[in-house]
Amino acid sequence: MDSTSASPLVLQLCDLLNNSVFPAQLASAIKANPRESLFLKIDASLITGAQLESDKCSLHLGCIDLSSGTAVPLPPPTPASTPSPRGNGDSLTPTSDTSNCQSSKRRKTVSGLRLAPAPATKQIQPTTADNNTIESTDETPKSVRQFHSDTRFPQRSKPGQGISPPVLEPSSTDKLIAGIWRQVYSSVQLSCDFSNIKPTINIRSGASLEVFKSVNDLCLKYYNRSQSSRALEMIVQAFWVECFEARTAVLRYEKPILSRAEARMIAIREACVILNWKEKDLRNRMAIWRGYKEIKDHGGWASLIFASAGVYRFCKYRAEFGELLFSRLDHIRTSLEVAADTLHPEWRDLLQVIQQDTPRVYHGHPHEWVTTTSTDGRAFPLDSTYEHLQSQLPNGFQYRFIDECVLDSSIYGTRDPRRIPGLDNPDICALCNERQSDEVQKNQCMCFPALFGGVRGPIPVQIFRTNGKNNGVVARCPFDRGTAIAEFTGLITSGIEGVDVMIGGSDGRTFQIFQGEMGNFTRFINHSCRPNSQFQRFYWRGVERIIVVSRGVSAGSEITVDYSDRYWRELRKRCLCGEACCRFGPGGKNSG
């Protein structure tokens, strides 16, 4: 075969590659293999230069039938015969025809499309090797008592990663008390006003935003009504048990010959006539109602009114009714009333259904009261626990609770020292690279939605009286590892010495957060050498925020942080955390 008898496809291929000798070579090969059916198999290889040596690991392109001069259709590709990129973007390892590959050495491509690197975006640079810790500068005076954190950011645990350590399942009593606290710190609105609830517009007119808002408002109103109705039902049923016992006592007084069981049977029959129930049905309900009364007797009306829906099942089976339950309810009774009075001042109005007029006891901010675990005591006003400071301060102890930091205008004017200068886009989160917005509908950053960019509610914590450390902060609901508890708020200032301050900022732009006269409950978080929380720097819309992040705080435990070694080195007092690893207590390695 010569060039004139070669297939048109072969000639086109030779012209494309500028190879005029290939048709003659092909004719010689055909003469050496005199067969009726011959095919020309075309392979390709990836090389790093224009050398003539062929690679033993090749890619199959196709075949040409030399007898007919037509291309043979390729079979459908399979995963084993499809080349796939591996490693970085500019290396490729063929995976087809592995029997012909004698070497797995990767070769770089010299052509083709490549992904260009993303344009550099100016991000917030950490001041330490750890991007999530607060570090101080040596420019501040040593007499300043500074809070610092020297630990890593507590990452949230992802489900399915690793083997979780075994943990005890919460008991029914734990679930009951946890449900009470969740309801107290929820946004439920309890009321005896059951006026007609009707939407203001036609909610069957479509799916516009106004219609959707009206339907949501309708759901909220009926949810609050159902919660109020359930609370009223339990109040009446618990009161019914008291009336039943009183009626039994009256029957025995009127007829002394009656035994207690006989008097109870008479009272049950009297009730069945009015309720139109069978005795068996009433007896079954009485067991549940008696559980309501026992919860109320030990935890107060607040424990029953704010009990979750699981209280019905808890009272029905009575698996854990006993001294342990009653003791725990006795210890949180005062704390429940403080939270209920300050967060839901209308809750006592529900007691009017049984003609019980109970005045509100606790007023003001929820954290203006210091709770105790005493079963016969009441909560104390916050200022009364600092009477030893009344003579040391010009105006006595005064503390104002604020949700946002206040700028010291005498030092900074209107300039916020927390704002990071020179950011290309301050609304991009430095942790998740998502857009931040104060509007819930537009915010995409889910780093700490409980504090920034999400629906905010009351934080389930209380200030309580500790043993030997004055006041502390106790968690009423659990805080999972990596979740934010609160922002460290106070007066943004500078130049304060000799008192506790939080150091913020970085080189050249440090500032202080002082909580002497204003702030939030984070002022009362105690130190521990084995803390369950930590101070953390976070940037929200280009402004530096100091937040308290949980390392795993269980309900009922005290929230603690590590004040850092630098803080304790400047003080002449000992740590009272009581941990076995205490560094600054009696016998600690840094106690001096």
Side-chain angles (χ1 to χ4, degrees), residues 87-238:
N88 52 23
D90 58 357
S91 63
L92 186 67
T93 302
T95 59
S96 65
D97 199 10
T98 56
S99 60
N100 296 330
C101 296
Q102 302 296 330
S103 174
S104 60
K105 182 178 180 180
R106 299 182 180 180
R107 298 180 180 270
K108 293 186 178 180
T109 58
V110 293
S111 62
L113 296 177
R114 301 183 184 180
L115 293 177
T121 303
K122 188 171 183 179
Q123 299 291 346
I124 300 171
Q125 298 296 330
T127 58
T128 65
D130 187 356
N131 193 26
N132 299 293
T133 57
I134 299 175
E135 187 63 35
S136 66
T137 61
D138 295 330
E139 300 175 358
T140 54
K142 290 186 177 181
S143 60
V144 176
R145 294 153 60 174
Q146 305 170 359
F147 293 110
H148 297 279
S149 175
D150 300 322
T151 54
R152 288 183 173 272
F153 177 76
Q155 298 294 333
R156 298 177 179 88
S157 57
K158 297 182 179 179
Q161 288 190 353
I163 300 177
S164 301
V167 294
L168 295 176
E169 288 291 331
S171 63
S172 298
T173 301
D174 295 333
K175 294 178 181 179
L176 173 68
I177 295 178
I180 295 174
W181 283 117
R182 280 197 306 269
Q183 190 78 343
V184 169
Y185 284 97
S186 69
S187 59
V188 64
Q189 298 179 1
L190 303 177
S191 174
C192 293
D193 183 14
F194 287 159
S195 57
N196 292 330
I197 302 176
K198 294 182 179 180
T200 56
I201 63 174
N202 183 11
I203 60 176
R204 308 288 296 183
S205 60
S208 64
L209 180 59
E210 294 300 325
V211 172
F212 188 62
K213 288 182 178 179
S214 181
V215 173
N216 279 274
D217 183 66
L218 191 64
C219 288
L220 178 61
K221 290 180 179 179
Y222 274 101
Y223 169 77
N224 290 328
R225 171 181 284 192
S226 65
Q227 297 297 311
S228 301
S229 299
R230 188 175 61 85
L232 289 170
E233 181 184 14
M234 291 190 295
I235 291 173
V236 173
Q237 291 167 351

Side-chain angles (χ1 to χ4, degrees), residues 439-586:
E439 299 182 30
V440 179
Q441 301 92 327
K442 298 180 180 180
N443 178 57
Q444 298 177 355
C445 173
M446 292 290 107
C447 291
F448 302 108
L451 299 182
F452 309 104
V455 178
R456 301 182 64 173
I459 302 175
V461 298
Q462 285 185 318
I463 300 176
F464 79 110
R465 193 73 170 178
T466 65
N467 294 325
K469 296 184 293 185
N470 203 7
N471 297 329
V473 178
V474 60
R476 292 307 182 188
C477 293
F479 292 93
D480 294 335
R481 180 179 178 86
T483 59
I485 299 177
E487 180 184 1
F488 191 94
T489 62
L491 179 67
I492 305 295
T493 184
S494 179
I496 296 180
E497 299 182 9
V499 293
D500 293 349
V501 293
M502 171 66 73
I503 301 298
S506 58
D507 296 340
R509 57 169 199 88
T510 58
F511 60 88
Q512 297 174 342
I513 304 179
F514 178 54
Q515 292 185 324
E517 298 179 353
M518 65 182 71
N520 58 4
F521 69 88
T522 56
R523 169 189 170 154
F524 308 99
I525 297 179
N526 287 320
H527 163 85
S528 175
C529 294
R530 190 181 180 183
N532 55 18
S533 305
Q534 70 179 53
F535 293 123
Q536 169 66 36
R537 178 184 289 122
F538 179 67
Y539 300 94
W540 177 255
R541 303 194 65 191
V543 176
E544 179 180 322
R545 307 293 185 99
I546 307 298
I547 60 178
V548 180
V549 181
S550 167
R551 293 183 178 179
V553 180
S554 59
S557 60
E558 181 182 0
I559 299 175
T560 57
V561 295
D562 192 335
Y563 287 177
S564 79
D565 294 349
R566 185 170 301 181
Y567 171 86
W568 286 101
R569 282 198 298 265
E570 307 301 329
L571 296 180
R572 293 183 178 180
K573 63 180 182 180
R574 292 183 175 181
C575 175
L576 301 177
C577 69
E579 295 289 346
C581 59
C582 182
R583 308 188 305 273
F584 300 96

Side-chain angles (χ1 to χ4, degrees), residues 1-7 11 20 23-24 27:
M1 176 181 288
D2 54 16
S3 61
T4 58
S5 61
S7 169
L11 296 177
S20 59

